[in-house]
């Protein structure tokens, strides 16, 4: 469907771009295969060329752990955020070396530290396969049957592509099932740590300043990709800008927004508001409390939980903001109006009844999903057993069950095309701490009992007559899944070896698996119903509007744009740039106390710094979680900064774009060079950035 | 009923004390009117005399803000915990003076600072009025009618007693309605702050070490009560011990345990487990997250929220511990067995069927309460509107409605006997911060929408088309209830003045009041049904066992006892005493970082201190929340320490006593004198404690 539509794109967009410019400002996380050329031309007078697009696309990097980055030298140097690299810094640290807290610099190539299980992806091509996917799903099939057929053809396409090209090949569902594209990625799994500042400097202001502006964070981390044990030779990388930006300059963001829900119907937004958030928000807060308090007991606890705690604190702000947005008429009323107006227009068309029925089908499917939501998250999502040991145990159990099935019949994550990535993470020897495991598992078991009810038969079987704390300690102490050799043995031994091991955590996973799988089947059947209904709606919308809107985010590469721009908050102007002087001022205001403390070398070298150097800035491109680490690029295709956050007002971008108060926040390229030279004394690295290669 | 039973007490207790000694160890928060003389005699060879009891009783002080204390000089000096005084320290502080954080000492009488709204109560007499209360409730009356009749006679008794004696007179419901006693208190409302250490020293180790042992806290705060603007002359005060205690010494705790649920049936425990805790625990955690993060934004935020945040952190540990206990077979199985065994024994007696029916009636009433529980807490409990402004607004509204009614028809808290205390708190000019008010109200409105559902008509009316954040800001900015003069005007003007004010917060309280009152009526009718059923059970139990068990705690004066005693944890012995040396060691282990930092004067004067001075100790008396600040008394009736905490294992004491791992934690009398002399240089105060009067 979208394939045909794309042919008429250029004609239609002349019309819709005017409309979009007026109504939706610079909304959109655009597909590289359908960039908003006309809108940009019309509003900013800049022409997106194929060469510009290909260069930026191939310079953009996906961090499979959940963020974005970019190549910034011909010798494999990749820059991302410190908080994206945090997961790897944590895994490389131990009781003696706390790289997450203290930072890291590899003075020589030999010092560069190989990450434990990091995989980077670089997009090479996009192919529209909508017709083939839809053709494989019989018109008569609904629910689970349709989902199965769709899964089968998607696995087949991925496998074919992998075999033919050797590239990681993922089928991506766009427009809630309105289109399917095949994305092929070059994959790097030998990724080495080059440089990280101290977390104090990268995350200055900590959780209190997170999602706030003015901000003062040097939120960067540098890695280098290797091939055959040599730094990879990179053709497409972004040239470092020496000038940076100024207010009003047009910027582009090329990154991997994780997910948005802009095309959700009201029924789906109400599901978020009435079912999902009331479960998710309190859960995030309980875990934040759990991890903060455990962290406060000792320095070593704090080190162990740091990265995970940060993740939950970050999510808490995100969901609080979204929840308030969905309780707000200012956000919801336009949504209601848009949906009504669209339905009214659609009603007068040939397939009006079909569109109307599609809305009803979505509402029904969502209602069915709401009924099982908590159990689904708890059992299939693993919230009831939150710890790495359970996750590993279940993957061993399921791998043994899934692998013997034909590729297309398996649960998606066990497909052949994903096998290599799956094994990389299954056999990762990242540190796992039994005390932290016991802590989170005990709390998760409590959550399970609270939600499913203590008398629930499955809760009773899971707890086995123990309290959550006792049972968690027992399971974590007895399981062997934290031993990589044990996992390898069971994985290669298949179902028989897994059963013979009688590992208590695997047996727990086995105990709940029939229920978990049934929930997933039910859930995915309703997802399929929703996708089919969205497909009808999107088709109708396309007939009326053309591809005037970018699809919702899917953690695949997108391009967004907008100028550097100050804004107003509580009646006061917030300047677009901060500088080092502001950072030291905020530090003084908080008496150098955590999390506003600065590393000693920052205090020592303050005099050497040009305090007027721009540090962070705000701009309007449309971003969301997953964009962390995305390069900010100017019209010349140069690297001018790096996305690391949005302000509080930007949190509603999940379901509605606005550019009055919402802003993306980036680190300025000039601050990075200044800090590297004056604070860290890592001039060779600064030179590599400025020259695109090592001396 | 209990009156008659009490006559046979001494006979029966010979039997039951043997049983109690063997099975229940030193369980019990005993009534001063029925102390466990025989048990103590049998086990410790110590005789509780009437004189000893009267002296300790009249030396014990209740802090109406939620804690305990005692007189320690003839000149009105009262000692309690720093965390009990925290509420008053917070209210006396402002942006320039942070007494909660920095401590306080009144060098002269003129420097003693009058507390804003603190009321202290000292128990003078106990009268059994069970027969009169029960006689006033017709045998045919059930539910709401019975509750009304009971409320009426209770208000009547309180009013009569107040008029006759001039003493604060409260009817106390014991044994879940098995008995009613009239407690008369001498009341002090001119209470002045004398001394507080810095919170760092009082609450060393902060939340991470809360409910833990070993501990190192100087958790004390001293006040002086005044009458006619002069220090009150106190006949009964506790003599300060110069020797303190040693392991094995028998100790008594005389304080005001708030509430326990030991006599709950399984149906009631399941209500806690399945309904109350799954609501309460996540709510506590969401507010903890809210307040911690707001506090982290600035020093002044932290100061404003400190006392409230501490309260929620404290509750979080309490409820986490209780919840795990109720999910634990080790706690529940004996409860199930005891209930079964009791029912089996009762079945063979004359009123066996009645007892069995009583259990069913409790289960039914609890089921009815579970259905409305969340709404009841949200609307009547005010969780949906958490802020002082709402609380004040509702009290103005309800006072205007209730005052014109006959005394016995009013909601309990508007009864004549409570009027003075009510007005003291209504007209308190404690500081209320609009930013903190807006913060908590916005979160509370969100909680309301989450739980009742956004589409709920009352939620819609409450939010009035705004998001929770917008609506909270609007209400807090527009209401005038934070102005004491405004409150006085409305209170004296009655319903007409309240209506004419059209204050938006009062109008909000009015909007929800019919629903809130209906929920309360429903709730209290079921409480009454439960009380009546418990009455039947307790009567049967008494016939079988005598008053071998103390009633559940009711925030009235109780006596408990047990020796100073070390214990085992994770296979290691935990010594009964800590000392100053241990405090400095823990400080060093945490690099003097918050909350393990020590005030500068502690660091400076370390060399002067006798580091071996006992600081905190553990003992086995049966305590619970509300006991904070209770005097620890030796057999000679001397003050040897002050309760300030229990360990984690003690948290289950809400529903089951144990003395294997559970311990009360107290500050040692010797540490207080040593710190006063060597660290604080407040020798006159130390002298007053040691001599019982000022020089």
């Amino acid at each position: 469907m979208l394939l045909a539509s794309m042919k008429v794109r250029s004609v239609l967009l002349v019309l819709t771009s005017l409309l979009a410019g007026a109504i939706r400002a610079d909304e959109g996380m655009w597909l590289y295969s359908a960039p908003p050329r006309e809108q940009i031309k019309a509003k900013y007078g800049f022409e997106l060329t194929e060469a510009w697009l290909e260069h930026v696309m191939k310079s953009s990097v996906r961090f499979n752990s959940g963020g974005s980055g970019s190549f910034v030298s011909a010798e494999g140097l990749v820059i991302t955020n410190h908080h994206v690299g945090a997961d790897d810094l944590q895994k490389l640290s131990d009781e003696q070396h706390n790289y997450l807290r203290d930072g890291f610099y590899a003075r020589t190539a030999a010092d560069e530290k190989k990450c434990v299980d990091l995989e980077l992806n670089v997009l090479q091509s996009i192919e529209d396969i909508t017709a083939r996917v839809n053709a494989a799903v019989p018109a008569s099939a609904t629910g689970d049957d349709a989902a199965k057929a769709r899964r089968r053809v998607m696995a087949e396409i991925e496998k074919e592509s992998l075999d033919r090209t050797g590239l990681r090949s993922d089928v991506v569902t766009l427009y809630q099932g309105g289109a399917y594209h095949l994305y092929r990625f070059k994959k790097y799994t030998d990724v080495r740590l080059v440089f990280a500042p101290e977390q104090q400097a990268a995350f200055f202001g900590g959780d209190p300043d997170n999602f706030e502006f003015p901000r003062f964070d040097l939120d960067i981390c540098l890695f280098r990709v290797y091939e055959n044990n040599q730094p990879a030779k990179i053709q497409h990388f972004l040239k470092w800008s020496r000038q940076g930006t100024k207010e009003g300059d047009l910027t582009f963001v090329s990154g991997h927004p994780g997910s948005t829900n802009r095309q959700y119907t009201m029924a789906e937004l109400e599901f978020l508001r009435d079912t999902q958030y009331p479960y998710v928000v309190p859960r995030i807060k309980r875990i934040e409390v759990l991890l903060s308090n455990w962290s406060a007991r000792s320095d070593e606890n704090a080190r162990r939980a740091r990265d995970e705690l940060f993740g939950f604190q970050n999510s808490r702000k995100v969901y609080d903001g979204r929840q308030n947005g969905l309780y707000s008429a200012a956000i919801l009323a336009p949504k209601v109006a848009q949906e009504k107006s669209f339905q009214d227009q659609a009603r007068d068309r040939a397939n009006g009844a079909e569109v109307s029925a599609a809305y009803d089908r979505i509402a029904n499917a969502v209602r069915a999903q709401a009924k099982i939501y908590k159990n689904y998250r708890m059992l299939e999502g693993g919230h009831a057993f939150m710890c790495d040991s359970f996750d590993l145990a279940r993957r061993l159990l399921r791998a043994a069950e899934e692998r013997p099935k034909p590729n297309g019949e398996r649960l998606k994550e066990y497909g052949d095309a994903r096998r290599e990535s799956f094994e990389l993470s299954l056999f990762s020897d990242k540190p796992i701490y039994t005390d932290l495991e016991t802590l989170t598992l005990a709390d998760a078991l409590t959550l399970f009992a609270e939600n499913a009810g203590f008398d629930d038969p499955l809760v009773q079987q899971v707890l086995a007559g123990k309290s959550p704390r006792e049972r968690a300690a027992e399971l974590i102490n007895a399981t062997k899944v934290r031993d990589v050799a044990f996992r390898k043995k069971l994985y290669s031994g298949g179902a028989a070896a897994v059963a013979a091991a009688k590992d208590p955590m695997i047996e727990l996973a086995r105990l709940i698996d029939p229920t978990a799988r049934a929930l997933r089947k039910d859930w995915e059947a309703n997802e399929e119903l929703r996708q089919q209904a969205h497909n009808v709606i999107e088709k109708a919308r396309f007939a009326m509007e053309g591809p005037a809107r970018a699809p919702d985010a899917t953690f695949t590469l997108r391009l967004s744009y907008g100028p550097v721009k100050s804004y107003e908050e509580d009646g006061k102007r917030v300047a677009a740039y901060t500088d080092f002087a502001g950072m030291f001022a905020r530090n003084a205001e908080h008496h150098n106390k955590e999390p506003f403390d600065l590393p000693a070398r920052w205090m020592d070298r303050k005099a050497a710094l040009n305090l007027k150097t721009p540090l962070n800035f705000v701009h309007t491109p449309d971003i969301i979680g997953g964009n962390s680490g995305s390069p900010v690029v100017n019209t010349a295709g140069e690297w001018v900064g790096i996305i690391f956050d949005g302000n509080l007002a930007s949190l509603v971008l999940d379901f509605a774009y606005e550019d009055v108060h919402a802003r993306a926040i980036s680190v300025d390229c000039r601050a990075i060079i200044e800090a590297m030279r004056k604070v860290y004394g890592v001039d060779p690295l600064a030179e590599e950035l400025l020259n695109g290669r090592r001396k």
Side-chain angles (χ1 to χ4, degrees), chain A:
Chain A
M1 174 195 68
L2 260 196
L3 188 72
S5 316
M6 284 174 77
K7 286 180 188 158
V8 290
R9 177 166 46 84
S10 55
V11 183
L12 278 168
L13 273 186
V14 180
L15 183 72
T16 50
S17 67
L18 295 172
L19 194 73
I23 298 177
R24 287 202 305 272
D26 295 335
E27 176 168 8
M29 301 165 183
W30 299 91
L31 300 173
Y32 267 81
S33 52
R37 283 195 185 85
E38 290 75 8
Q39 288 97 311
I40 293 172
K41 182 79 190 291
K43 191 161 172 189
Y44 298 100
F46 173 69
E47 189 116 26
L48 277 180
T49 63
E50 281 303 331
W52 190 100
L53 287 165
E54 189 195 355
H55 179 63
V56 177
M57 174 177 109
K58 291 187 174 168
S59 301
S60 301
V61 174
R62 179 167 79 180
F63 277 67
N64 259 4
S65 50
S68 302
S70 54
F71 286 124
V72 280
S73 98
E75 299 177 68
L77 202 59
V78 178
I79 188 165
T80 184
N81 291 144
H82 188 273
H83 73 266
V84 172
D87 185 45
D88 307 290
L89 291 165
Q90 175 98 40
K91 288 174 183 166
L92 288 171
S93 297
D94 55 33
E95 289 190 43
Q96 277 68 52
H97 306 91
N98 192 337
Y99 302 124
L100 180 58
R101 185 188 62 198
D102 303 333
F104 178 84
Y105 176 56
R107 213 155 275 284
T108 68
D111 293 336
E112 297 182 355
K113 280 196 171 292
K114 189 169 189 300
C115 295
V116 173
D117 53 8
L118 180 59
E119 175 181 321
L120 303 188
N121 295 151
V122 182
L123 182 59
Q124 301 299 311
S125 71
I126 301 174
E127 190 182 327
D128 191 318
I129 48 152
T130 311
R132 181 167 165 196
V133 171
N134 285 339
V137 181
S140 60
T142 53
D144 186 46
D145 286 343
K148 230 188 223 162
R150 202 176 298 278
R151 218 161 43 228
R152 197 180 306 119
V153 68
M154 282 161 67
E156 188 179 295
I157 293 170
E158 289 178 349
K159 178 74 162 44
E160 264 178 35
S161 169
L162 171 67
D163 291 347
R164 192 162 57 78
T165 64
L167 295 171
R168 171 171 176 152
S169 302
D170 293 355
V171 172
V172 179
T173 304
L174 299 167
Y175 295 105
Q176 331 289 339
Y180 298 90
H181 288 184
L182 176 63
Y183 275 53
R184 292 195 187 91
F185 304 93
K186 185 160 171 49
K187 206 171 66 186
Y188 296 92
T189 53
D190 185 350
V191 187
R192 306 191 187 174
L193 179 61
V194 175
F195 174 79
E198 310 84 347
Q199 193 168 30
Q200 284 157 288
F203 193 40
F204 176 80
D207 179 67
D209 271 8
N210 194 15
F211 291 112
E212 303 276 350
F213 196 79
R215 255 320 240 306
F216 313 91
D217 289 357
L218 194 75
D219 194 351
I220 58 162
C221 190
L222 286 103
F223 296 91
R224 194 184 302 282
V225 295
Y226 279 67
E227 287 182 310
N228 307 317
N229 221 19
Q230 291 300 319
K233 295 289 157 220
I234 301 299
Q235 187 193 347
H236 291 285
F237 65 91
L238 298 171
K239 191 171 172 304
W240 197 273
S241 165
R242 286 169 190 257
Q243 278 71 43
T245 49
K246 60 180 187 312
E247 176 142 21
D249 279 2
L250 178 61
T251 61
F252 293 89
V253 172
S254 177
H256 302 81
S259 96
T260 53
N261 297 303
R262 304 255 174 97
Q263 285 158 39
Y264 263 20
T265 66
M266 281 308 299
E268 290 168 309
L269 290 176
E270 285 162 8
F271 166 81
L272 294 184
R273 188 190 68 195
D274 300 335
T275 303
Q276 184 171 326
Y277 293 174
Y279 166 79
V280 169
V281 175
R283 175 175 175 265
I284 289 171
K285 291 179 182 175
R286 77 183 287 146
I287 298 173
E288 179 177 352
V289 164
L290 182 78
L291 296 178
S292 322
N293 290 302
W294 189 72
S295 296
R297 302 263 318 144
S298 80
D299 288 357
E300 177 57 13
N301 283 5
R303 189 191 69 75
R304 292 179 180 195
R306 180 107 199 192
D307 184 40
E308 199 161 7
L309 173 56
F310 163 72
F312 280 98
Q313 289 182 316
N314 194 59
S315 298
R316 180 244 311 149
K317 283 208 179 180
V318 170
Y319 279 97
D320 269 352
R322 288 184 186 173
Q323 186 180 37
N324 193 61
L326 281 187
Y327 284 150
S328 151
I331 299 287
L332 277 195
K335 286 268 174 194
V336 173
Q338 280 159 25
E339 182 164 310
K340 187 174 177 310
S341 135
F342 175 75
Q343 283 189 293
D344 287 348
Q345 285 176 56
R347 197 164 297 128
D348 302 333
R349 301 206 162 214
N351 61 346
E354 208 192 332
V355 169
S356 184
Y359 276 95
D360 293 344
R361 276 155 53 206
I362 289 173
N364 287 335
V366 158
R367 217 171 290 126
Q369 288 182 310
K371 273 196 199 119
I372 63 165
Y373 178 72
K374 276 196 211 176
N375 274 334
Y376 171 67
R377 294 303 292 274
M378 214 107 53
L379 294 172
E380 178 60 20
H383 288 186
F385 313 101
M386 181 183 151
C387 63
D388 287 328
S389 301
F390 174 79
D391 186 48
L392 292 168
R394 177 152 77 178
R395 287 158 80 195
L396 287 173
L397 175 79
R398 286 190 170 175
E401 287 173 356
E402 295 294 308
R403 287 273 174 254
K405 296 181 190 172
N407 188 30
E409 305 286 318
R410 297 179 203 156
L411 295 174
K412 197 175 161 188
E413 62 273 27
Y414 298 91
D416 285 332
R418 287 177 167 80
R419 182 167 191 149
E420 229 179 294
S421 307
F422 176 85
E423 291 175 358
L424 178 70
S425 105
L426 181 64
F427 300 139
S428 158
D429 59 357
K430 65 168 189 171
I432 302 176
Y433 302 104
T434 54
D435 50 1
L436 184 54
E437 292 275 283
T438 309
L439 182 85
T440 59
L441 178 57
D443 187 67
L445 292 173
T446 305
L447 177 81
F448 185 34
E450 260 179 45
N451 277 283
F454 185 70
D455 289 331
D456 177 90
L458 199 53
V459 171
Q460 286 295 314
Q461 285 174 279
V462 164
L463 289 179
K466 315 279 185 326
S467 77
R469 290 180 195 170
E470 291 161 349
R471 180 66 169 143
E474 174 183 80
L475 283 165
I476 295 296
N477 289 332
T479 183
K480 296 201 192 94
V481 297
R482 290 187 301 278
D483 172 2
V484 177
F486 178 79
R487 295 203 293 274
K488 285 192 173 154
K489 201 183 83 187
L490 262 54
Y491 186 70
S492 64
V498 170
K502 295 202 194 322
D503 186 274
M505 193 66 88
I506 297 178
E507 293 313 304
L508 175 72
R510 192 191 302 280
L511 168 70
I512 63 127
D513 216 41
T515 317
R517 281 177 179 264
L519 286 162
R520 176 162 172 175
K521 197 170 151 185
D522 190 351
W523 184 266
E524 288 182 349
N526 282 297
E527 285 288 292
E528 173 65 26
L529 288 174
R530 285 168 58 193
Q531 285 202 2
Q532 288 173 2
H534 271 291
N535 197 310
V536 170
I537 295 170
E538 290 305 315
K539 218 186 270 180
R541 190 189 309 283
F542 200 88
M544 284 151 59
E545 299 178 358
R549 301 199 306 182
D552 270 324
T554 47
F555 198 43
T556 48
L557 192 65
R558 301 294 179 90
L559 186 68
S560 56
Y561 64 96
V564 176
K565 202 171 174 184
S566 59
Y567 61 103
E568 217 164 82
E569 196 173 63
D570 300 332
K572 279 180 299 194
R573 198 86 215 149
V574 181
Y577 290 87
T578 64
D579 58 21
F580 286 128
M583 183 189 213
F584 283 102
R586 190 138 177 78
N587 165 268
E589 180 193 336
H590 283 270
H591 322 292
N592 197 31
K593 266 172 67 179
E594 220 183 303
F596 299 93
D597 51 333
L598 279 171
R601 63 175 137 199
W602 279 80
M603 305 304 266
D604 295 346
R605 296 173 202 170
K606 180 177 170 185
L609 273 173
N610 174 359
L611 294 176
K612 297 235 151 113
T613 311
L615 176 48
N616 293 163
F617 65 90
V618 285
H619 46 148
T620 67
D622 194 356
I623 57 154
I624 200 92
N627 268 117
S628 282
S630 302
V632 182
V633 177
N634 63 14
T635 51
E638 292 174 330
W639 199 100
V640 294
I642 183 167
I643 291 281
F644 73 97
D645 208 359
N647 64 2
L648 282 176
S650 77
L651 293 171
V652 297
L653 294 188
D654 183 33
F655 29 82
Y657 177 81
E658 72 104 312
D659 64 1
V660 180
H661 302 104
R663 289 292 179 277
I665 311 179
S666 292
V667 184
D668 196 291
C669 57
R670 289 163 289 189
I672 296 170
I673 298 298
E674 180 74 2
M676 282 186 170
R677 285 174 166 162
K678 308 282 180 61
V679 178
Y680 295 99
V682 296
D683 296 77
L685 188 57
E687 293 305 310
E688 184 177 354
L689 290 174
L690 292 170
N691 303 318
R693 61 186 61 253
R694 289 185 281 195
K695 282 265 161 96

